[in-house]
């Protein structure tokens, strides 16, 4: 299929061939009929992409701050790879469309194939021929509403949510500053609610349009006409509400709002304009400044938008889905008329030229629609001991055979970790062929194919698992899918590299091992990369062999997650420690040369900090402090290993030292933090090519996973959990 994309680094726009997205449970596949260009938000993004690197930095100081923080924690080289990888990628455009349901995912019963739906979301309602849309981001289109009008649903919801924030009442007077697409819709919604509206915009054509659509009077913000109209309608008291629907860097809108609002009036920010509030003016009138967040309650909540968890109507009357349905109903009943807002309907294949004309000012438009091939049909269609599972290998022939050269690899998932920490090492490795990349979102597969040279990009996992030419499969998806994808790949006879964690529950771990037993295929590696880190390996070699028990202390200064991070979705993705704790358990076990026999864990009330004690067969102990409340500038990982009169110290993979009869200290000027990914991948590829032993024994991977999962049991039971080996 085809999709409109932009390279944020170069600013290049193109219509790209990408795989059709898969139809996941909890959503539907929608074939687009019309999609709407947001002449405000999208053009701002397009213009921003055309700036120099310095210009981009100045326009997004929030992102610059994140980069600075990442350099402090991860080092300059890793941060540079991550940032440039994001910049030099295709990004999607669009967030409002109407189309026909082409496939229905599991759990969906409110629409069927052939139904016409309006869709929302800047990750799901894209300018693309086909989109996967989750339950709460689509609604059926009312009978009689034209598809091109239903495509306004998302921007209509944005305007509607802004009006709701203003709490208008019959007979009030409102001022709408900015009469672009959102402003024109706000004017109509207010008029439909019995509010008299004054509009302000420097464009006389837009002022005339707003008056035709219900405004009492409109004029240039700097003219006396607007002030005179407000004075006449309000008896000199000022308007009850002001809606800021303007963009740009001028502070004129907020100054005008203060001047024309009544005492204790409401000012609602819907657009993205400059907000240097004149303190005296806002204080003296005690103005109520409110923000309107996009389509309404549910926006930016992954449990609502992705998992389909609705808010009870008794507590949240107007969610983003209900706003979407409400706006479509108003349009279907003629209370809102979007037809006069349509400046052009362009064929989808002309998307790049249409954007160019908008950006260069050749096309003066309020709203522009893309029309997709075949849209006419759409218009007519309307605490106890935890058992560590024993590894049992079946009698079936395992695929532990020397592979042909080159080694052919497939990736399932192409997110940030895969594209910044794994694929750069594999793409330049001699004797490796990147055969296929599989994702559920089409654009991420296309990005990975372009940047790393995959032979093909697809959303069809079964086809890749059934491809006999693929030697090994990398599972680099969200945590909740790791165990099932690993199980399927093992049963398909593939060598598997799965990023941590291997499993989130004991049942998932048992399922993976059942696949090993059934297939006889034990060719599995989990991405526990720290044991491969060159600095740590050298320090361990300098430390030498032990004769007595050891004491290991490992501080992980994990830091706080950004709001909205999918790591916070514990209901589906497991706890944060379950997701990444295996890294630290594996490192401790590798340094101590054994697997743990018991786990004890405590957590201070009210936060995610964990203190974990692992006990080993020879009496050694490892204390892991996994903390989220530490200083962000402090190193992320530090550890000390003490035994036999010697001390090994590691400082965040930047420096290491060993103190004993002789003292060794690593270089003060390391090239970068090397946490072992390159060496780990080299070992894995070598094992695939030669058919030799996997880099880490399967028994060790299972023991580490079981110990990580036992942390939760220890927290619940308040006592050490014995890791009993199954026979």
């Amino acid at each position: 299929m085809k999709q409109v994309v932009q390279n944020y680094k170069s600013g290049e726009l193109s219509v790209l061939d990408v795989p059709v997205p898969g139809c996941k449970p909890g959503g539907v596949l929608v074939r687009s009929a019309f999609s709407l260009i947001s002449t405000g938000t999208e053009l701002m993004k397009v213009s921003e992409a055309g700036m120099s690197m310095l210009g981009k930095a100045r326009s997004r100081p929030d992102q610059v701050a994140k980069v600075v923080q990442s350099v402090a924690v991860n080092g300059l080289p890793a941060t540079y790879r991550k940032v440039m990888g994001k910049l030099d990628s295709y990004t999607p455009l669009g967030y409002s469309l109407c189309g026909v349901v082409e496939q229905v995912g599991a759990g969906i019963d409110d629409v069927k194939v052939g139904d016409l739906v309006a869709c929302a979301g800047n990750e799901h309602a894209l300018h693309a021929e086909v989109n996967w849309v989750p339950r709460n981001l689509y609604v059926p289109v009312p009978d009689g509403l034209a598809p091109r009008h239903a495509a306004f649903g998302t921007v209509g919801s944005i305007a509607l949510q802004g009006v709701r924030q203003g709490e208008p009442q019959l007979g009030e007077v409102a001022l709408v500053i900015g009469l672009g697409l959102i402003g024109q819709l706000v004017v109509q919604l207010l008029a439909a609610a019995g509010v008299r509206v004054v509009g302000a915009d420097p464009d006389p054509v837009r002022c005339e349009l707003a008056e035709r659509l219900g405004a009492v009077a409109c004029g240039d913000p700097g003219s006396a006409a607007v002030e005179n109209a407000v004075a006449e309608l309000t008896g000199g008291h000022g308007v009850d509400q002001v809606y800021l629907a303007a963009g740009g860097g001028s502070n004129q809108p907020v100054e005008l709002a203060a001047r024309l609002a009544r005492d204790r009036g409401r000012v609602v920010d819907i657009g993205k304009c400059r907000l240097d509030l004149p303190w005296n003016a806002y204080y003296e009138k005690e103005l109520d400044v409110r923000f309107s967040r996009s389509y309404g309650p549910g926006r930016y909540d992954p449990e609502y938008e992705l998992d389909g968890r609705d808010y009870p109507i008794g507590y949240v009357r107007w969610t983003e889905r209900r706003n979407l349905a409400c706006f479509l109903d108003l349009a279907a009943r003629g209370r809102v008329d979007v037809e006069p807002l349509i400046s052009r309907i362009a064929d989808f294949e002309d998307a790049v030229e249409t954007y160019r004309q908008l950006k260069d000012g050749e096309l003066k438009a309020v709203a522009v629609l893309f029309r997709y091939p075949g849209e006419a049909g759409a218009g007519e269609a309307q605490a106890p001991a935890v058992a560590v599972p024993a590894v049992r290998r079946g009698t079936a022939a395992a695929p532990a055979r020397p592979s042909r050269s080159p080694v052919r690899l497939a990736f399932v998932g192409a997110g940030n970790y895969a594209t910044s920490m794994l694929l750069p090492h594999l793409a330049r490795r001699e004797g490796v062929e990147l055969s296929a990349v599989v994702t559920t979102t089409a654009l991420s597969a296309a990005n990975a194919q372009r940047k790393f040279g995959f032979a093909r990009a697809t959303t069809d996992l079964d086809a890749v698992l059934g491809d006999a030419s693929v030697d090994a499969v990398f599972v680099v998806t969200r945590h909740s899918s790791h165990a099932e994808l690993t199980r399927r790949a093992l049963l398909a006879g593939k060598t598997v590299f799965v990023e941590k964690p291997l499993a989130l529950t004991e049942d998932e771990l048992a399922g993976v091992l059942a696949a090993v037993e059934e297939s006889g295929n034990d060719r599995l590696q989990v991405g526990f990369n720290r044991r491969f880190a060159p600095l740590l390996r050298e320090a361990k070699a300098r430390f030498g062999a032990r004769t007595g028990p050891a004491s290991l202390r490992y501080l992980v200064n994990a830091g706080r997650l950004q709001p909205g991070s999918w790591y916070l979705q514990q209901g589906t993705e497991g706890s944060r420690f379950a997701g990444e704790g295996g890294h630290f358990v594996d490192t401790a076990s590798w340094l101590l040369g054994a697997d743990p026999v018991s786990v004890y864990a405590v957590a201070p009330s009210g936060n995610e900090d964990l203190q974990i004690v692992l006990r080993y067969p020879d009496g050694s102990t490892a204390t892991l402090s996994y903390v989220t409340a530490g200083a962000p500038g402090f190193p992320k990982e530090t550890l000390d290993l003490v035994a036999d009169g010697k001390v090994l110290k590691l400082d965040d993979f930047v420096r290491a030292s060993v103190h004993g009869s002789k003292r060794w200290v690593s270089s003060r000027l390391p090239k970068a933090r090397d946490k072992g990914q390159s060496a780990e991948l080299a070992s894995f590829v070598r094992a695939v090519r030669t058919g030799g032993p996997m880099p880490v024994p399967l028994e060790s991977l299972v023991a580490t996973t079981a110990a990580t999962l036992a942390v939760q049991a220890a927290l619940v039971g308040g006592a050490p959990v014995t890791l009993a080996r199954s026979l």
Side-chain angles (χ1 to χ4, degrees):
M1 72 166 191
K2 295 187 181 299
Q3 179 175 352
V4 178
V5 299
Q6 181 175 39
N7 184 296
Y8 191 73
K9 180 181 178 182
S10 66
E12 175 195 5
L13 279 162
S14 59
V15 177
L16 192 69
D17 283 311
V18 299
V20 175
C23 188
K24 297 180 286 188
V28 296
L29 277 187
V30 177
R31 183 166 290 278
S32 301
F34 291 91
S35 61
L36 177 70
I37 296 179
S38 169
T39 50
T41 303
E42 285 188 62
L43 285 189
M44 179 178 65
K45 182 178 179 181
V46 169
S47 298
E48 192 177 278
M51 296 178 180
S52 65
M53 294 298 289
L54 181 58
K56 291 182 174 73
R58 286 174 173 169
S59 67
R60 294 299 305 272
D62 56 328
Q63 296 299 319
V64 173
K66 290 181 181 180
V67 170
V68 172
Q69 179 60 43
S70 179
V71 170
V73 174
N74 301 311
L76 182 59
T79 300
Y80 178 81
R81 288 195 302 270
K82 180 178 178 180
V83 170
M84 296 309 295
K86 284 188 174 182
L87 287 176
D88 191 18
S89 297
Y90 292 126
T91 59
L93 294 170
Y95 61 81
S96 188
L97 67 81
C98 175
V100 177
V101 175
E102 194 165 83
Q103 188 174 343
V104 176
I108 297 298
D109 55 11
D110 59 341
V111 294
K112 63 183 183 301
V113 173
D115 285 352
L116 192 66
V117 292
C119 308
N122 61 356
E123 295 180 353
H124 306 288
L126 309 171
H127 298 311
E129 291 181 313
V130 180
N131 286 278
W132 179 81
V133 188
R135 178 195 300 274
N136 282 337
L137 293 179
Y138 68 81
V139 296
V141 174
D143 292 339
L145 183 63
R148 67 180 184 277
H149 296 163
F152 281 77
T154 306
V155 292
S157 299
I158 294 172
L160 183 57
Q161 176 63 16
V163 170
R164 294 194 194 285
Q165 290 295 88
E167 300 182 38
Q169 298 185 36
L170 284 168
E172 289 188 329
V173 180
L175 172 65
V176 178
I177 302 176
L179 297 175
L181 178 56
I182 297 296
Q184 298 286 347
L185 293 170
V186 170
V187 166
Q188 294 193 61
L189 291 168
L190 288 169
V195 175
R196 292 174 293 172
V197 184
V198 177
D201 195 286
D203 187 341
V205 175
R206 292 184 174 185
C207 288
E208 180 184 350
L209 177 60
E211 289 179 351
R212 284 196 285 123
L213 295 175
V216 176
C218 295
D220 189 293
S223 70
V226 172
E227 295 195 27
N228 292 338
V230 169
E232 181 178 346
L233 289 170
T234 66
H237 294 295
V239 298
D240 300 284
Q241 308 119 44
V242 180
Y243 296 88
L244 302 175
S250 172
N251 207 47
Q252 184 187 38
V254 296
E255 295 171 1
L256 181 64
R259 191 163 65 250
L260 298 185
R262 67 165 168 82
D263 187 62
R264 292 175 176 82
R266 297 179 291 280
V267 179
V268 181
D269 179 38
I270 305 176
K272 190 178 181 182
C273 64
R274 187 175 175 183
L275 286 175
D276 291 342
L277 302 181
W279 187 87
N280 284 336
Y282 276 73
Y283 170 80
E284 289 170 1
K285 289 187 175 181
E286 200 174 8
L287 295 178
D288 183 357
V289 180
R290 303 179 179 183
F291 289 85
S292 179
R293 188 169 65 184
S294 198
Y295 330 142
R299 188 71 180 107
Y300 309 114
D301 178 358
E303 291 192 6
Y304 178 90
E305 293 191 330
L306 298 179
D307 300 340
R309 182 174 299 176
D310 199 4
Y311 302 151
I313 195 169
Y315 291 90
V316 184
R317 177 62 183 91
W318 294 109
T319 60
E320 57 181 320
R321 192 183 200 216
R322 293 175 192 135
N323 274 339
L324 183 59
C326 178
F327 181 82
L328 295 180
D329 175 69
L330 290 169
R333 292 190 290 115
R335 304 304 299 273
V336 175
D337 186 6
V338 299
E339 182 66 27
L341 305 179
I342 300 175
S343 304
R344 177 182 292 184
I345 299 178
D347 290 333
F348 180 59
E349 62 186 21
D350 296 328
V352 174
E353 176 62 16
T354 302
Y355 273 109
R356 186 197 65 77
Q357 292 178 7
L358 285 167
K359 181 182 176 184
D360 294 347
E362 295 178 21
L363 174 58
K364 303 290 186 182
V366 175
V368 175
L369 291 166
F370 287 138
R371 174 176 47 216
Y372 291 77
E375 64 80 20
E380 299 164 1
Q382 213 39 287
V386 173
V388 179
V391 177
R392 296 183 175 88
R393 294 159 172 86
T395 56
R401 55 171 173 76
S403 168
R404 68 185 66 82
S405 185
V407 173
R408 294 182 171 88
L409 307 178
F411 264 65
V412 183
N416 184 58
Y417 187 82
T419 56
S420 63
M421 303 307 297
L422 300 180
L423 283 168
H425 297 295
L426 292 168
R428 59 175 179 258
R429 187 172 297 280
E430 188 176 350
V432 167
E433 180 181 306
L434 298 178
S435 178
V437 56
V438 186
T439 64
T440 56
T441 56
L443 196 52
S444 59
N447 271 321
Q449 183 181 32
R450 180 183 71 89
K451 291 166 66 175
F452 300 107
F454 280 97
R456 59 183 167 129
T458 180
T459 58
D460 189 347
L461 175 61
D462 290 333
V464 171
L465 294 181
D467 185 348
S469 70
V470 172
D471 299 310
V473 172
F474 280 70
V475 176
V476 201
T477 54
R478 289 195 176 184
H479 298 165
S480 57
S481 61
H482 284 190
E484 174 61 17
L485 292 173
T486 299
R487 189 188 68 81
R488 290 176 62 184
L490 289 171
L491 290 174
K494 305 301 183 187
T495 302
V496 181
F497 182 108
V498 57
E499 250 312 309
K500 50 76 191 164
L502 173 59
L504 289 174
T505 67
E506 294 175 31
D507 287 344
E508 287 184 354
L509 180 57
V512 171
L513 294 180
V516 171
E517 184 173 3
E518 177 183 344
S519 64
N521 178 11
D522 63 355
R523 307 288 288 172
L524 176 64
Q525 170 66 10
V526 181
F528 298 143
N529 51 275
R530 276 130 174 100
R531 65 162 64 204
F532 296 92
L535 186 61
L536 188 56
R537 293 181 75 87
E538 182 177 2
K540 182 182 179 183
R542 299 272 185 174
F543 188 89
R546 285 190 296 113
T547 59
S551 174
L552 186 148
R553 299 182 303 170
Y554 201 150
L555 172 62
V556 182
N557 182 36
R560 299 198 180 280
L561 294 172
Q562 293 291 327
S565 169
W566 63 266
Y567 264 87
L568 296 171
Q569 300 173 33
Q570 295 195 13
T572 56
E573 301 300 333
S575 70
R576 189 176 177 189
F577 186 81
E580 71 171 353
H583 268 321
F584 318 118
V585 175
D586 177 77
T587 304
S589 298
W590 172 72
L591 283 169
L592 296 174
D595 296 322
V597 296
S598 73
V599 176
Y600 177 64
V602 293
S605 176
N607 63 42
E608 297 178 310
D609 293 0
L610 297 174
Q611 302 295 326
I612 301 162
V613 179
L614 305 171
R615 186 168 59 85
Y616 289 83
D618 67 349
S620 295
T621 60
T623 302
L624 306 182
S625 298
Y626 184 85
V627 298
T628 62
F634 190 79
K636 182 178 179 182
E637 296 178 47
T638 54
L639 68 81
D640 303 300
L641 172 64
V642 181
D644 301 338
K646 297 179 289 185
V647 177
L648 180 155
K649 183 176 180 62
L650 176 73
D651 290 323
D652 208 26
F653 300 90
V654 173
R655 293 193 68 196
S657 59
V658 174
H659 301 260
S661 57
K662 295 182 179 180
R663 183 170 178 247
W664 169 80
V665 179
S666 64
S667 169
R668 293 178 178 271
L669 297 172
K671 294 181 179 179
R673 287 181 179 86
D674 185 344
K675 295 185 180 181
Q677 285 92 351
S678 180
E680 175 191 36
L681 293 171
S683 297
F684 178 77
V685 169
R686 183 166 53 252
V688 176
R689 176 179 290 112
T690 64
M694 297 302 292
V696 181
L698 181 57
E699 286 79 3
S700 176
L701 301 177
V702 172
T704 292
T705 304
T708 306
L709 297 177
V711 168
Q712 184 60 37
L715 288 171
V716 173
V721 172
T722 300
L723 298 173
R725 265 53 179 182
S726 300
L727 299 177

